[in-house]
């Protein structure tokens, strides 16, 4: 326990003695925090219980607690982040420092009256449970502002300042220095003259926040497959309802026919390369239909089921998907495909049909131009596949990780598209950036419900493929492990070498 601190239960904590129940053999204390659930502490003698229950009423000096019940320190350790520090130590309760992990600890960092300070570039102020809080992915603590003076102090730190400048009638200089020492200790405030850190400089604010909040260990928010909206909001169906209208029925490929001509996984993996050039003959509608069927058709649906963790409908498609969610949909901006009118289409993965969602040439060219832009303006794409996500399909189940999971799914789908395209002799290329606008307007989507999370170029193979790195023609090429496998696999795909003969 740290000396000279004022301690208090964090907002939302309830605590009660279990002795009143009689059923627990006495000497027990129950401490609960909303959805987090609670702790039942045994063998807590009445004087210690009394001391702890005082923390419900307001900040209490730890020295006072220790005087009344010397073993309280041990119980406080077990309560971990349910007990927070109130600042300043005069008991005025301007700020509260909430640990966000059980083991978080810090030492205040002395800040002189004229030391230049500011909020960390990674700190952010937001309303949480009706209070202004400051948090940062770098900090294992949240600081809660409890008074107007504390709120003004936090806002004043947005610009480089000093304790002297921040001091005022409500917060004399001594108190400001104390508060700053704690804010600096928990890495929410930094010296403005601190040397630049090249590792931190390469983290963007939103990337570090997203990284820290989509994994456990550095925050205290609820996390994972908790079904936070079960009972209050209906889950979305496994398959996005198709737009109205008949749509265009696509030819259905034949399993035996594909199996007879398809290369093995080794060949598809090794021959795979990103291709941004296209052949004089466009890919045909039948090829597009086969590609979509092999990558993204719905093989079936199941559920909801009671009692086995599937209180929503699941589906199965050729690619693996967390929670059998299949929140991703495919839209095709088609410019050149034999047998198919140019247009922007939605692929119905259950009926295996295309639905025209936008026939405007301008919009088609806009999406094609944006796709090309991601290749540095190099590609003149035949087809741009836009992958959208129905976000609420995931967030109905997954708390805090829904967006991270959808991006993982995009990666799985990219590789599936790469492999199927390679096996079929098509030109694939994943893209790393894309738009929310104008793509949402062009696809007719409300971006908060469903919007683009990935883009992929597809077309016919050019007569001569651009040399891939693994072919070793670049002057700076440094061979690694068996790069000739890729060369061999491509020759087999082109029919220049017999794969069986190679194996023999
Ligand atoms: C997630 C992801 C994003 C990509 N983004 C782009 C991109 O924006 N523009 C581009 O021309 N290629 C992009 N690519 C293709 C990569 O440049 C390519 O995969 C990499 O250089 C390796 O070459 P290879 O695919 O031919 O083996 C991307 C690939 C992936 C998987």
């Amino acid at each position: 326990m740290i000396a000279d601190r004022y301690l208090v239960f964090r907002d939302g904590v309830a605590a009660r003695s279990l002795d009143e129940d009689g059923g627990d053999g006495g000497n027990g204390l129950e401490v609960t925090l909303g959805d987090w659930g609670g702790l039942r502490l045994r063998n807590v003698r009445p004087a210690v219980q009394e001391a702890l229950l005082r923390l419900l009423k307001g900040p209490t000096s730890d020295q006072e607690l220790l005087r009344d019940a010397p073993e309280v320190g041990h119980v406080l350790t077990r309560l971990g982040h349910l007990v927070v520090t109130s600042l300043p130590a005069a008991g005025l309760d301007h700020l509260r420092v909430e640990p966000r992990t059980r083991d978080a600890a810090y030492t205040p960092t002395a800040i002189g009256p004229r030391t230049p300070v500011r909020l960390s570039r990674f700190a952010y102020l937001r309303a949480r449970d009706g209070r202004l809080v400051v948090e940062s992915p770098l900090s294992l603590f949240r600081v809660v502002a409890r008074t107007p003076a504390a709120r003004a102090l936090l806002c004043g730190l947005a610009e480089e300042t000093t304790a002297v400048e921040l001091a005022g009638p409500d917060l004399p200089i001594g108190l400001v220095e104390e508060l700053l020492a704690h804010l600096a200790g928990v890495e929410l405030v930094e010296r403005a003259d601190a040397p630049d850190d090249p590792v931190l400089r390469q983290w963007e604010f939103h990337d570090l926040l997203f990284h820290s909040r989509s994994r456990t260990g550095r925050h205290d928010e609820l996390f994972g497959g908790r079904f936070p909206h079960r009972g209050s909001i209906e889950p979305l169906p496994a398959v996005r309802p198709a737009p109205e209208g008949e749509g265009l029925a696509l030819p259905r490929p034949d399993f035996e026919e594909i199996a007879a001509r398809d290369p093995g996984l080794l060949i598809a993996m090794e021959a795979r390369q990103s291709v941004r050039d296209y052949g004089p003959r466009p890919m045909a509608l039948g090829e597009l239909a086969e590609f979509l069927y092999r990558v993204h058709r719905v093989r079936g649906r199941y559920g909801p089921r009671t009692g086995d963790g599937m209180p929503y409908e699941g589906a199965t498609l050729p690619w693996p998907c967390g929670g059998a969610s299949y929140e991703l949909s495919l839209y095709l901006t088609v410019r050149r495909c034999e047998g198919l009118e140019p247009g922007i289409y939605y692929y119905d993965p259950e009926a295996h049909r295309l639905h025209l969602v936008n026939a405007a040439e301008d919009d088609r060219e806009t999406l094609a131009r944006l796709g090309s832009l991601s290749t540095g303006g190099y590609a003149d794409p035949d087809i741009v596949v836009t992958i959208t996500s129905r976000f609420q399909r995931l967030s109905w189940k997954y708390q805090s990780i829904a967006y991270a999971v959808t991006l993982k799914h995009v990666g799985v789908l990219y590789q599936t598209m790469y492999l199927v395209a390679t096996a079929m002799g098509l030109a694939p290329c994943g893209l790393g950036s894309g738009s929310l606008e104008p793509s949402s307007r062009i696809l007719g989507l409300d971006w908060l419900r469903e919007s683009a999370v990935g883009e992929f170029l597809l077309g016919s193979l050019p007569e001569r493929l651009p040399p891939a790195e693994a072919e070793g023609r670049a002057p700076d090429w440094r061979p690694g492990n068996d790069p000739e496998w890729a060369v061999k696999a491509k020759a087999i795909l082109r029919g220049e070498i017999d794969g069986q003969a190679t194996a023999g």
Side-chain angles (χ1 to χ4, degrees):
M1 200 167 97
I2 301 157
D4 290 315
R5 288 210 170 164
Y6 272 71
L7 303 176
V8 61
F9 275 122
R10 77 159 57 198
D11 282 340
V13 164
R16 67 182 187 104
S17 168
L18 294 172
D19 298 357
E20 295 143 27
D21 297 357
D24 284 289
N27 288 347
L29 188 74
E30 184 182 69
V31 184
T32 51
L33 174 62
D35 286 348
W36 269 107
L39 285 172
R40 284 187 157 215
L41 305 173
R42 311 270 173 212
N43 302 321
V44 184
R45 73 180 175 88
V48 178
Q49 288 186 31
E50 219 170 277
L52 289 169
L53 290 173
R54 272 158 63 196
L55 299 183
L56 282 180
K57 300 205 179 88
T60 309
S61 149
D62 58 353
Q63 296 307 310
E64 214 176 301
L65 289 177
L66 282 169
R67 194 188 58 222
D68 297 348
E71 70 270 44
V72 80
H74 171 65
V75 184
L76 284 172
T77 311
R78 287 168 69 192
L79 288 171
H81 67 314
L82 298 180
V83 174
V84 307
T85 303
S86 161
L87 296 172
L92 297 174
D93 205 21
H94 281 299
L95 296 177
R96 289 187 183 174
V97 181
E98 295 186 354
R100 300 169 79 196
T101 66
R102 274 197 69 79
D103 308 324
Y106 75 98
T107 314
T109 307
I111 297 288
R114 294 187 194 283
T115 306
V117 288
R118 63 179 169 216
L119 276 183
S120 155
R121 180 168 77 80
F122 294 98
Y124 56 95
L125 273 66
R126 67 165 171 141
R128 185 178 187 276
D129 297 334
R131 299 258 182 217
L132 182 75
V133 302
V134 55
E135 298 171 321
S136 158
L138 290 181
S139 180
L140 294 179
F141 297 84
R142 170 187 304 112
V143 166
V144 185
R146 309 270 308 175
T147 61
R151 289 191 280 276
L153 176 92
L154 293 180
C155 292
L157 282 160
E159 294 178 4
E160 181 179 326
T161 185
T162 63
V164 168
E165 284 168 8
L166 290 166
D170 294 327
L171 281 181
I173 180 82
L175 290 191
V176 172
E177 282 182 61
E178 183 184 343
L179 297 181
L180 288 181
H182 285 269
L183 287 164
V186 298
E187 295 182 73
L188 291 169
V189 159
E190 63 190 16
R191 289 182 65 124
D193 55 5
D196 188 31
D197 178 336
V199 173
L200 281 182
R201 196 177 351 143
Q202 293 175 78
W203 272 107
E204 289 250 335
F205 165 79
H206 74 280
D207 276 338
L208 193 56
L209 178 58
F210 179 47
H211 183 42
S212 69
R213 288 285 277 102
S214 51
R215 306 194 70 79
T216 58
R218 294 192 61 90
H219 63 83
D220 57 354
E221 305 288 358
L222 297 168
F223 189 90
R226 299 186 59 256
F227 301 103
H229 306 292
R230 188 183 195 164
S232 63
I233 300 177
E234 278 298 299
L236 291 180
V239 182
R240 184 198 190 287
E244 277 179 18
E246 274 291 281
L248 171 73
L250 293 171
R252 285 174 181 263
D254 177 73
F255 180 87
E256 272 71 29
E257 190 271 323
I258 295 174
R261 67 168 143 85
D262 218 41
L265 178 65
L266 174 70
I267 305 301
M269 283 286 289
E270 290 299 323
R272 186 212 57 77
Q273 94 177 68
S274 298
V275 184
R276 303 166 185 85
D277 296 291
Y278 307 99
R281 255 194 73 174
M283 62 191 281
L285 178 62
E287 289 175 297
L288 178 60
E290 178 184 326
F291 172 83
L292 293 168
Y293 203 77
R294 291 176 63 176
V295 168
H296 197 63
R297 79 179 186 288
V298 173
R299 298 192 287 210
R301 308 194 200 197
Y302 57 95
R305 294 172 182 160
T306 44
D308 75 343
M310 278 299 290
Y312 59 103
E313 187 187 39
T316 139
L317 271 70
W319 55 276
C321 180
S325 303
Y326 295 104
E327 77 286 359
L328 300 181
S329 298
L330 304 184
Y331 292 80
L332 310 170
T333 298
V334 178
R335 295 170 84 212
R336 222 172 54 113
C337 178
E338 206 176 271
L340 182 62
E341 279 297 308
I344 301 175
Y345 297 88
Y346 167 77
Y347 175 58
D348 177 348
E350 190 151 59
H352 189 50
R353 299 175 92 89
L354 290 180
H355 288 260
L356 185 67
V357 292
N358 188 330
E361 188 179 353
D362 295 5
D363 287 340
R364 194 161 67 237
E365 288 309 303
T366 298
L367 289 190
R369 183 176 47 77
L370 288 171
S372 171
L373 209 59
S374 292
T375 66
Y378 179 87
D380 185 16
D382 285 356
I383 294 178
V384 181
V385 182
T386 302
I387 302 171
T388 62
S389 175
R390 290 179 297 143
F391 304 104
Q392 285 73 40
R393 169 89 180 141
L394 281 181
S395 54
W396 188 82
K397 173 175 179 181
Y398 294 112
Q399 191 147 21
S400 192
I401 58 171
Y403 194 71
V405 170
T406 218
L407 294 187
K408 287 172 183 169
H409 292 162
V410 172
V412 176
L413 189 47
Y414 270 25
Q415 177 68 342
T416 307
M417 294 204 282
Y418 262 115
L419 290 180
V420 172
T422 307
M424 290 180 62
L426 299 173
C429 184
L431 300 182
S433 59
S435 77
L436 278 178
E437 291 300 344
S439 66
S440 300
R441 176 191 60 76
I442 291 174
L443 300 178
L445 301 173
D446 167 0
W447 77 285
L448 294 173
R449 292 168 189 265
E450 179 185 354
S451 41
V453 285
E455 282 83 7
F456 197 92
L457 304 184
L458 188 69
S460 60
L461 269 190
E463 277 164 357
R464 283 180 62 82
L465 273 181
E469 297 293 354
E471 284 162 49
R473 297 194 212 163
D476 59 351
W477 167 254
R478 295 178 294 284
N481 296 300
D482 289 320
E484 69 283 359
W485 285 19
V487 180
K488 218 183 272 181
K490 274 180 221 169
I492 291 170
L493 266 190
R494 285 193 301 267
E496 291 166 9
I497 321 177
D498 180 349
Q500 293 304 323
T502 313

